[in-house]
Amino acid sequence: MQRRLRWGTVTTGQPLPDCQIVGFPAVQRRGPSGDLELDQFEVTVLPLAGRPRPTVICEFSRRPAVERAEAASPLAGLSGAPVFAGGVLIGIVTDIPKGRDHMRAEAVPMDLLPFDRLLPDRQLPLAMERVTDFHRRDEHFEEQYSKAVKNRYRKIEIIGIEELGKDESRWDLDAAYLPLEAESSGSRQRSGVSRPRRIDDLLSGTESVVLLRGEAGAGKTTLVWWLASHAACATFGPKLADFNGLVPFVIPMRTLRAQGLGFPTPQRLPQVAGLMTDDPPEGWARRVLEAGRALLLIDGLDEVPQEDREAARRWLIELLETFEHVRCMVTMRPLAVEGDGDWLGMQQGVLGLRLLSMRDSDIQTFVHVWHDAARLELSSSSDERAELIRLEKDLAQQFATNPALRDLARTPLLCAVICALHRRRRGLLPTSRTKLYQAALDMLLGSRDALRRIDAPEGIEIESEQHKQLLQRIAVWLVRNGQSQLSYGQAERQLQEALHGMPRVAEQGPVSRILRHILNRSGLLQERAEDSIQFIHRTFQDYLAAKEFRESDHVGELLRHAAEQEWEDVVLLASGQCNRSELPKILESLIAQGDQATGWTQWKLRILAANCALAAVYLSEEVRGEVDSRVAALMPPGDSIQSAELAKLGSYVLPFLPSAEPLSEEHQLLVLDTLYKIGTPDCLPLLRAYAQQRSQAVRQFIVKAWDLFSFSVADYAREVLAHMRLDDLKFTIRHSDLLHRLPQLRGVRQLELHALRMRPEDLEAIPMLPALREVRLVGLPGPGATRLPPAHPGVARLSVDSHSLDLDGLNQWTGLQGLALWQPVRVQDLFECLASLPRLRAVQLPLASPVVALESVPVLSTIRTLVLPSLAEGGDLRQLARVFPSLTQLTLHPQPSTAHSVDLTPFAGHEGLRVHVVYGRQRPAIVGADAFDDRLRVTQIQEEPTIESMREVASLTSPDQ
């Protein structure tokens, strides 16, 4: 993949040596193939020479060639050659001036060039670099740094694969990475349901800062590693091409905390991750940040203690404000900080995302990928590989038929644990989260070496329960100290205390040897850096700490920290291990603390109590009622984070969700968001009640969420959609099963159909919608030139965005008043169809050069509104004025990469014509504007035109007109 070019401007008055010009001078020779060979010249840039002209003066380090006999410059031909200062392009050669013995070249500086005309957007520089010196070591160090990033982050350990061999447990992220779904978590959204999208789709947007929330084990760190390795190697595809060549700085917050380090300055950023590199050149990181080439990946904000998070926020804001072109992603658990993307206090450029639980299809994909990796183990025999095929089929079937098991596997971490347990137990699996963790620990601690027939390899033999006791001491120390890592010395001291009560283990060797045995054999502890030990995942640390708090009778201490986010999972995991006499005490404490707290803290404590109660096998009606009353008091949810947390309680929360009548529209949407995230059939009665509301936004939410609920689309249509007003709502259909349900619904007027993956016969459902008035087709099914659906005589507005379109049948859409086409078609055929549509009054045509395309087409005097979404540079409008003499509204969108002027002179005689010019990055000059006075409007939009954006700026004729 091609890296993004670097551009810069010289901002020093001192000579800049060791620059270079690369080009084809007149004296250059041709190679064996007959092509001209490149030549390379060393030059010194003289910033003060040539002033006051805005010119880059370059002086050659030696005389480049002897003057030719005809006195022509031997360097003629270098015009257009690039001038580089290291890897930064600082100018384009324009002239070899006479005199000075041909020792100088003149170049135009990059800040004066219209570079948006030269390259596609995805190759344009993110920022103009300030060049004050040539840092020769930078390029060499960046190559070394990129290689170190790739080596550190390109592989990941998959739980369960390491069972049969350490080498096979680390596998390439390209094979292991599953791009999960996420949704925007912005509390200010009022557009209804946020459609889940794959995380790589969401990261391809324009926002420079992403705050990513996700549960433990949801894949946050895996995503960070994946981004870092691909960015460093510039191997992203078109979707994330903006990240190619960015320099990733991975900042694991747990490491900073464990090592007692403060928040890093720019100079320290390259060292935070402990990569295998030399010291960077002085000021290198700052130069990368200033040039907009940095990718900050701050992993685990929740690892920062609560009292330090405000300091973390100030540090990050200062960093982002100092280096405004930096791209940044911050990962955290869902409740690490209050609010959504506005936590940073930045008005724009921040995208709040929430990683979603794996869908059923994601779980099945993960099962296949996991077993594929297991089949690649070097130690696997052919019989074992055949057994893995059988186990994969069996587990896939269990997931398909057992909803409780699927619910345990909604994160990549726990799905991997289930895959490993299923393999180890030959198909037998636990049925609760607590039993799942217990079984995972037994697998990783007790049976691993026994199954591999490894007998006391370090001369030490520790049973599973003994392993747990030792690890519990380390885990509880980490939780108490708010850390995720500890040193060898700290670990040995914790083990030493535990060994006082474990003489049979203590007598087997010194504590240092016992620690080494645990590191080598437990599969739960790992060395991530020199003198740094951590659990393979925070979830196992929290589970073992919870076990220790309960067994050592320190639950009271645990509950005193219940309001602290980093202790919440420990409290929840401890409650899952309690018996029927212990759990009520935990719940009573959480209820009492919640009653005394206010605001966000109260909200978190009450949700925690509800989660603990749900884990109970038995709970008295009295205690359960106390929990229920506190959950009811939280209604309605106040933002999308609260709705997501309530939804995790599942169907339990349904009786407490309020009816629509007393709520504002915003709160109604948040209740619906909760229902959509719960997604079980018992949500239908409340959904049906909300569907009776007059609010269009509420009803549009319900329609938009149709294919996002996890239960039957047929039940949803029959029980909800069939009982609501639909004529003012838009149906966005992406699946054929929804399309075939539409004829059962009365009053569907607006349809946006994503038909690329459908069959041509699926589109036959369109004429079966009697009330339909507007259709937007995004893609069309079928190979080659694809046909329109069967004509619908009642449709007044049709929009078609398809790379291949056969116009046969367009003339049968006789009711059309407005037609929008987004891709080029044969103009002659198109105009024959347009002339045959009696009611057509508005069209959008993808004509880049109207003067050529319309040269021989007949006049269309019936058209009143015309939109050109892709007018090229020099788009001559004379033919446009001839073909459409009756226009009253003309909207033009000059292509931002080419157009610098729009000549409206041909329309000067069109009285009453209103013109709207829409532009992106660069405002075009308007020639002939004086003839229009207040009938000319010029508008800037931020992105390339889409169906929605162009509809806003130039609405086609309404079907009702």
Side-chain angles (χ1 to χ4, degrees), residues 786-855:
T786 50
R787 292 176 176 269
L788 290 168
H792 190 306
V795 169
R797 298 168 68 153
L798 175 65
S799 173
V800 185
D801 183 3
S802 179
H803 288 282
S804 180
L805 176 61
D806 186 339
L807 293 172
D808 284 352
L810 178 59
N811 56 0
Q812 297 175 24
W813 292 70
T814 53
L816 286 185
Q817 299 174 26
L819 172 67
L821 299 178
W822 292 88
Q823 303 294 338
V825 295
R826 286 177 54 87
V827 174
Q828 293 289 341
D829 295 344
L830 173 62
F831 271 75
E832 288 181 13
C833 293
L834 298 182
S836 66
L837 298 174
R839 303 180 64 190
L840 190 65
R841 298 294 181 269
V843 292
Q844 174 181 294
L845 304 176
L847 301 178
S849 301
V851 71
V852 176
L854 302 179
E855 185 174 5

Side-chain angles (χ1 to χ4, degrees), residues 1 3 174 226 229-238 240 243-245:
M1 190 72 186
R3 291 179 181 266
D174 282 339
W226 183 74
S229 61
H230 278 285
C233 301
T235 48
F236 281 117
L240 293 179
F243 288 85
N244 280 330

